Amino acid sequence: MNNSVSQDSNQGPPPPAAWLNRYAELGRAFFTELPAQGMAKPVWVARSMALADQLGWPADWWQRADWQALEVLSGNAVWPGMRTLATVYSGHQFGSWAGQLGDGRALLLGEVDTTAGPMELQLKGAGLTPYSRMGDGRAVLRSSIREFLCSEAIAALGIPTTRALALTASALPVRRESLETAAVVTRVAPSFIRFGHFEHFAHTGQHAELRQLADFFISHHAPECLAAANPYAALLERVVRQTAELMADWQAVGFCHGVMNTDNMSMLGLTLDYGPFGFMDGFDPGHVCNHSDHQGRYAYAAQPNIGFWNLHALAQALLPLMDEVDKDGAPLLAALDVYKIAFPAALMQRMRAKLGLLTEQDADRALIDDWLKLMAGVRADFTLSFRRLSSLTQGDDPAKLRDLFIDQAALAQWLQRYRDRLNAEQSEDGPRSLRMRAVNPAVVLRNHLAEGAIRAAQAGDFSETERLLAVLQKPFIEPERASDAALPPDWAQTLEVSCSS
Ligand code: AMP
Ligand code: MG
């Protein structure tokens, strides 16, 4: 199945011009090299031209005869120089040590050299690997559409994430609760290394490989750590800070990841592995988006603490790298401690921005908490509450905002406090509204929007996926179609999203 794309076309050389395989140079302990299992007669579902552009690829990359991108990105062919491999990792799942996991259905293709540095390309759903365990190595169209759209939506919100370049599909049947069909997402990131990669080598006692991985990561992705007294503690602190920022980013847009296991945590602080994620509609701090998460371990309000818990697991994995002087792990504990300051600071900064505040005042925390309490009390729509607050002007009746709340007196009381706070910094309505609209999205990937695209795609019509992608790529602009930014329809409440993907 895996044919190399021919290079003797007169349309120029196949991509990418510079192809790297640095992960492959790590050695046998880190991966298994194997070909993809392709899909017969693949079709394009969607592509992110914005991302292709960032890779420096021409606009016609996907339809050039000499590139055969559809075949390559469906696992049916390889570009010259590609080394396809599945990496091994372990991890903690739902709070318990799960042992060895690994890329059970993902395949690293190598790195494309771009002006922003090397970018790894990875196929998700391209067949069995030695790490597939009970799985079939496949991903279904349904979950792949969700991953594709949300990767690009989160990126457009300015939140660090793995990206999605393309989505291809075929009629290949895949068994989940019912019979579905296969799809392959091409994911892109500077690195897909997870906390779980480090945990793997620590828990199996492969300390030389653990050090090799840490040195590899530092030299390729975190070179500034080399200058630190303890580079491994500096690496941890870097991940601590990035994770704190990421958790604040998620909380600020009402995003729930759903499966924050340590094998789904990125060493680059990226949103990684889109499964049963969800953007909240009505605000409920206890919201659990993953129907399989019976304990609510990964509820919205729990995410920042779970991020911290996961960082402890990473610190534990780095402990064997401490030398004689630091073998009690003091520098790692100090790095972990940074989270306690970095996360609240990052969240406050985002919340102040969401309220359009330019200065910092002691009472801001209470103002923000009370706003969130007001929202939670009536499950006011998370996205719309902030978006409509952004349009508030002096002396205006905030009718649209009032529609979202039942206790009008409580809302009016809070709005008066907010107005007083704005006046205290001589806030001007016009510029503030513009600022707020640039951080409070009009459109997020609500479950029912994804569901609309999925149902159409399952019937062979991919136009809704493409349309939605275009809307989600401009989340701070009021969409043409009002329903994209409206309250969810009643049927959305019955949608259930589970780990099945
Ligand atoms: P997840 O819960 O999706 O993060 O996956 C946890 C582990 O299960 C990872 O090692 C995945 O590669 C693996 N996995 C999930 N689904 C499949 C599948 N359909 N086939 C093979 N491996 C899978
Ligand atoms: Mg995963």
Side-chain angles (χ1 to χ4, degrees), residues 243-435:
T243 304
E245 296 283 325
L246 183 67
M247 293 304 111
D249 279 334
W250 288 357
Q251 300 307 97
V253 295
F255 176 79
C256 300
H257 180 283
V259 203
M260 287 180 65
N261 295 333
T262 57
D263 53 302
N264 290 338
M265 297 293 293
S266 155
M267 285 294 291
L268 288 174
L270 307 174
T271 312
L272 171 64
D273 276 11
Y274 290 89
F277 68 82
F279 281 91
M280 264 184 297
D281 293 318
F283 179 43
D284 170 13
H287 179 69
V288 181
C289 62
N290 178 358
H291 198 66
S292 319
D293 180 7
H294 306 294
Q295 313 289 323
R297 178 177 171 86
Y298 300 137
Y300 167 81
Q303 294 188 128
N305 277 336
I306 292 290
F308 196 34
W309 192 97
N310 290 340
L311 287 162
H312 277 81
L314 176 61
Q316 186 73 40
L318 295 176
L319 193 58
L321 299 182
M322 296 297 106
D323 60 20
E324 213 32 52
V325 183
D326 294 327
K327 68 171 189 287
D328 63 348
L332 296 174
L333 289 173
L336 282 174
D337 258 351
V338 168
Y339 194 84
K340 295 179 193 159
I341 306 285
F343 170 72
L347 186 63
M348 272 307 282
Q349 187 239 330
R350 280 159 189 71
M351 285 298 170
R352 279 204 178 90
K354 285 177 83 70
L355 293 192
L357 304 178
L358 290 174
T359 56
E360 294 180 16
Q361 292 186 13
D362 290 342
D364 291 350
R365 173 85 199 259
L367 184 75
I368 292 163
D369 283 351
D370 290 343
W371 166 242
L372 293 171
K373 267 187 217 145
L374 202 61
M375 285 167 59
V378 293
R379 305 258 162 121
D381 188 83
F382 190 92
T383 305
L384 284 178
S385 293
F386 281 102
R387 185 72 180 180
R388 291 186 184 175
L389 194 65
S390 309
S391 305
L392 205 64
T393 48
Q394 188 93 44
D396 213 24
D397 174 22
K400 285 207 144 168
L401 184 62
R402 282 204 278 110
D403 282 352
L404 301 172
F405 292 81
I406 297 162
D407 188 344
Q408 298 294 321
L411 175 66
Q413 213 175 27
W414 185 86
L415 284 176
Q416 188 52 54
R417 273 169 71 196
Y418 179 47
R419 177 53 69 190
D420 292 344
R421 172 65 181 82
L422 293 175
N423 290 339
E425 63 177 37
Q426 284 97 44
S427 187
E428 287 179 59
D429 285 345
R432 185 188 65 255
S433 181
L434 281 179
R435 277 199 310 277

Side-chain angles (χ1 to χ4, degrees), residues 89 93 101-102 104-105 132-133 135-138 176 264 273:
Y89 53 81
Q93 298 187 318
L101 303 164
R105 53 174 168 172
S132 300
R133 299 178 295 150
D136 55 9
R138 294 294 176 186
R176 294 292 179 262
N264 290 338
D273 276 11

